[in-house]
Amino acid sequence: MPIIVVADHAHINGGQAKVAIESALGLAARGHAVTFFAAVGPADPRMGPAGIETILLDQVDVTTTNSLARFGVQWLWNQKAAAALGELLARHDPEETVVHVHAWAKALSPSIGPVLAGSKAPVVFTMHEYYLACPNGGFYDYPVSAACHRAPVSLACVSHNCDSRGYARKLMRVGRHVLMRNTGMIDNLAAVITISRLQREVLAPHLPADTQWYDVGNPIDAEPLGHKEDGEPGGFVFVGRLSAEKGAGLFAQAARLSGQRAIFVGDGPQRAELEAAYPEAEFLGWHDPAGVKRQLRAARALVFPSVWYEGQPLTVLESLALGTPVIVSDICAGREAVADGISGLWFRSGDPASLAAAMTRLSDDTTARAMSRAAYDGFWADPLTLDRHLDRLERIYREVALRPAHITASAPAAALRSAPLT
């Protein structure tokens, strides 16, 4: 089956790109003719030898541009992306091809919407975030570091600055969102894939009532290493971007309250501030994937204090797969993977005292060891492997390729959509 994967980036710079690229490689290995279309290079070096055709636009994204003013035209309406995607689709038989969109908001822009809507090829859309419903992609109010419950593009939304960099950029986001909604991005989608139950609950009110939903968990890159040895458990570790929405400062505050040391693996805009305010904390900087796994395997617990919804935090699942329990915010989708009191603990989002209490509970070695074994056993009883992820994608591709655009899903299709995350 010819499959066109659409993403902002052709290299791994985060969980979203990682899933798009790893699934493309897996599909190619299964014999599918995969084309990877992206705005920003370079291409992952594995794609060429795997037989994946890559089409790169040699553009930048919103996080790497030297001038947002100059980049604004591309961000609002990337005409080059629309033309190139149209040419690519014209080379493929729509009766045989499936288009799978993973990302568009950082570089490709809403311009690809009319191209997708005008194609007869079925379009599958994986929701790694919330950009189809929310202008800033996260239902998150950056200035106050809290979830936002305003209706998207309502007067309350438009008049309020929720952007991390200022109201002018918020208005650009609103303009882009209006373009997205009115020029075809969500028209005639054959399938929308969500990666957590929370994500679907948040998105469903904002997408068409006849949206065809599917639950497909992201694959986790992990090996069954067995239970940890019965030595003294390590410390409390945070992995990721050191920023307000990720709860980095909340973790540092809770660690001080509980008398524990906060260990940060990662970097971000809050690092200098946190290093000055919490000299007792340990800041290890970014690690490569193997280094992150070593830190997680050695940790007493991963602390995941994110104060926004998230999609499906891969770090939470990687930690459980390594036998490390997780302390997780009760507002984010990561809670779905953690059995509270068994494989980790939930705490009240944004509450440092609640997080400190959870850390104090897990500072007991016996409790930490028991939760470690439960975390490992729970994950490997039903692992989110790449093969299972690909099996599910192929089933969805076959269904949407066979389903006429005007026909609603059959009973077996409905059963597939309501099946548990795999």
Side-chain angles (χ1 to χ4, degrees):
M1 176 183 292
I3 301 166
I4 299 173
V5 177
V6 177
D8 284 322
H9 302 88
H11 58 276
I12 296 177
N13 65 342
Q16 187 179 74
K18 178 179 175 64
V19 172
I21 291 168
E22 296 292 348
S23 62
L25 290 166
L27 291 165
R30 292 188 174 197
H32 297 287
V34 179
T35 302
F36 202 99
F37 178 91
V40 186
D44 188 290
R46 296 171 293 169
M47 290 202 283
I52 297 175
E53 178 188 7
T54 57
I55 297 178
L56 302 180
L57 305 181
D58 295 322
Q59 295 178 312
V60 297
D61 68 15
V62 70
T63 67
T64 58
T65 180
N66 293 324
S67 170
L68 184 59
R70 289 195 298 271
F71 179 75
V73 175
Q74 176 187 324
W75 199 42
L76 288 170
W77 197 260
N78 189 339
Q79 186 57 43
K80 183 177 180 179
L85 183 58
E87 292 173 4
L88 174 61
L89 289 171
R91 293 197 278 114
H92 288 76
D93 183 350
E95 299 295 326
E96 298 179 352
T97 305
V98 170
V99 181
H100 191 155
V101 181
H102 282 272
W104 61 274
K106 297 289 178 63
L108 289 174
S109 88
S111 69
I112 66 171
V115 180
L116 296 172
S119 172
K120 294 182 180 179
V123 178
V124 176
F125 206 113
T126 291
M127 297 298 301
H128 294 281
E129 15 64 2
Y130 300 87
Y131 277 113
L132 288 190
C134 171
N136 79 3
F139 289 98
Y140 183 74
D141 191 337
Y142 283 90
V144 299
S145 301
C148 176
H149 302 286
R150 297 173 181 85
V153 199
S154 65
L155 179 60
C157 167
V158 174
S159 61
H160 178 76
N161 175 35
C162 62
D163 195 87
S164 61
R165 298 190 183 182
Y167 189 56
R169 181 159 153 172
K170 162 63 183 282
L171 292 179
M172 288 183 66
R173 289 186 182 275
V174 170
R176 186 182 63 162
H177 190 78
V178 171
L179 286 171
M180 182 275 295
R181 297 285 298 188
N182 294 337
T183 56
M185 182 71 79
I186 63 173
D187 294 342
N188 305 312
L189 292 177
V192 173
I193 293 173
T194 50
I195 55 180
S196 65
R197 291 182 294 277
L198 173 65
Q199 192 180 49
R200 186 192 293 200
E201 291 171 6
V202 172
L203 286 168
H206 305 287
L207 268 64
D210 61 352
T211 296
Q212 303 295 308
W213 298 95
Y214 297 83
D215 297 327
V216 183
N218 286 332
I220 305 304
D221 180 16
E223 296 180 4
L225 301 178
H227 294 133
K228 295 182 183 180
E229 297 180 1
D230 288 334
E232 182 178 353
F236 293 92
V237 173
F238 172 105
V239 175
R241 178 175 165 83
L242 275 59
S243 58
E245 71 274 12
K246 293 294 186 180
L250 184 73
F251 172 45
Q253 186 178 357
R256 179 176 286 176
L257 288 173
S258 62
Q260 304 295 323
R261 170 178 286 188
I263 303 171
F264 291 93
V265 179
D267 209 335
Q270 282 194 313
R271 179 169 178 172
E273 172 190 343
L274 292 173
E275 283 182 316
Y278 299 94
E280 72 274 19
E282 188 173 357
F283 295 85
L284 304 180
W286 288 117
H287 283 42
D288 62 18
V292 170
K293 289 178 183 177
R294 287 193 295 271
Q295 292 292 336
L296 286 174
R297 179 74 171 177
R300 176 180 296 266
L302 168 72
V303 179
F304 198 86
S306 182
V307 293
W308 76 288
Y309 293 136
E310 299 279 353
Q312 180 203 23
L314 297 180
T315 307
V316 169
L317 292 155
E318 290 170 351
S319 182
L320 297 172
L322 291 165
T324 298
V326 180
I327 301 175
V328 62
S329 159
D330 64 0
I331 197 175
C332 87
R335 72 189 187 199
E336 295 176 12
V338 179
D340 187 26
I342 299 174
S343 60
L345 297 167
W346 295 9
F347 74 95
R348 288 188 300 277
S349 178
D351 186 339
S354 179
L355 175 53
M359 293 173 67
T360 298
R361 182 174 172 185
L362 259 171
S363 66
D364 176 76
D365 289 353
T366 300
T367 300
R369 292 190 190 101
M371 288 192 179
S372 170
R373 296 180 70 89
Y376 184 89
D377 291 343
F379 178 88
W380 290 106
D382 188 24
L384 292 166
T385 63
L386 179 60
D387 275 338
R388 294 183 65 190
H389 178 82
L390 296 174
D391 289 344
R392 193 141 176 85
L393 287 184
E394 287 180 321
R395 290 170 66 190
I396 295 171
Y397 293 162
R398 287 194 296 269
E399 181 184 324
V400 299
L402 293 173
R403 184 198 310 146
H406 63 283
I407 300 296
T408 57
S410 61
L416 175 61
R417 289 195 305 278
S418 62
L421 290 170
T422 59

